Amino acid sequence: MYLQRRNRITRRSAAVRALVAETVLTPNDFMVPLFIGEGENIKTEIASMPGYYRNSLDITIKEVKDLWSMGLKAVLLFVKADDQLKDNTGKEAWNPDGLMQRAIKEIKNAVPEMLVMTDVALDPYSQYGHDGIVEVDKGTILNDETVEALTLMSLSHAAAGADFIAPSDMMDGRIGAFRKALEESGFSDVGIMSYSAKYASCFYGPFRDALDSAPGFGDKKTYQMNYANRIEAINETLQDVTQGADIVMVKPAMAYLDIIREIKNAVTVPVSAYHVSGEYAMIKAAAARGWLDEEKAILESLTSIRRAGADLIATYFAKDAVKILSGL
Ligand code: PBG
């Protein structure tokens, strides 16, 4: 007699479901983005990211200690530069006493084991809100000049003590340029997490509120990727690996799970995904209206990103996820 295969047997109880789960989330899977502003004892909620803040450095240090005590092991730093520091060269980006450089030093001082990863792109420092230097009469972004500026920026982060630089600018040839410069300057221990497949996405909107960095003209489509493309993502990522990227990234995450899987299958370095600000905002907005269960939406989203192939996830929900997972 043919015995029907009973698939429901391995779903009968929470115990058996846990036993056969293919994907598990742990605090080791997360990188925590931190928005940092000038001043003291200043905590500003981001209007489009309820429950997420831009903090002055003193509060950031407390936050980093808290994150470490929860088992979180990596922070991804973003700073909001004051308006008068913005220009079209981005030179504040490599000021050794700039907010980013001070933040790296103070965090490494306070919690030496915390992995400090730093955003490398000119947008917070650009008067035009672009990731690179603008050729003003044409309204285009200069590639090689930008890579030179970003190389200085990367070296200044390394000198301040960053563990990984994380270029999010999408200029061509930057990974190789940074790797070479790091080697030549004695920073051979500093890693590169490359935003390899970064798409021109509307889901970055709330982030640009957090840093006041929305592009002043046009959009970022001449450097960030077209979301219609999949094969191009593989090409970009393989080039970054060849040029020396230690970790690659797909960004955003949830509308790009197919890309995460493609990249995971194509490379042998760790793959990260950035669950971006707009993805955070969507869950928060729906939960605030009682339309979604926030905790369940967080776990399902992050698990899906891991299942798609991300080894690690940058997410504004890192703390929430750790709390939910540990039943706090
Ligand atoms: C800037 C940068 C952006 C993000 C990370 N680095 C925004 C952009 O490219 O415009 C987005 C992060 C998020 O939305 O959470 N280079």
Side-chain angles (χ1 to χ4, degrees), residues 73-91:
K73 298 180 179 67
V75 290
L76 193 49
L77 307 187
F78 299 94
V79 300
K80 178 181 183 298
D82 287 343
D83 274 346
Q84 77 274 10
L85 298 174
K86 300 186 185 195
D87 61 21
N88 191 29
T89 67
K91 64 180 184 307

Side-chain angles (χ1 to χ4, degrees), residues 78 119 121 123 131 168-169 195 198 203-205 207-208 220 224 251 274-278 316:
F78 299 94
D119 191 62
D123 49 325
D131 290 21
S168 66
D169 57 293
Y195 289 61
K198 175 172 177 177
F203 294 110
Y204 307 150
F207 172 97
R208 295 172 186 171
K220 298 191 175 184
Q224 300 177 349
K251 178 187 178 185
Y274 201 139
H275 189 229
V276 301
S277 57
Y316 304 97

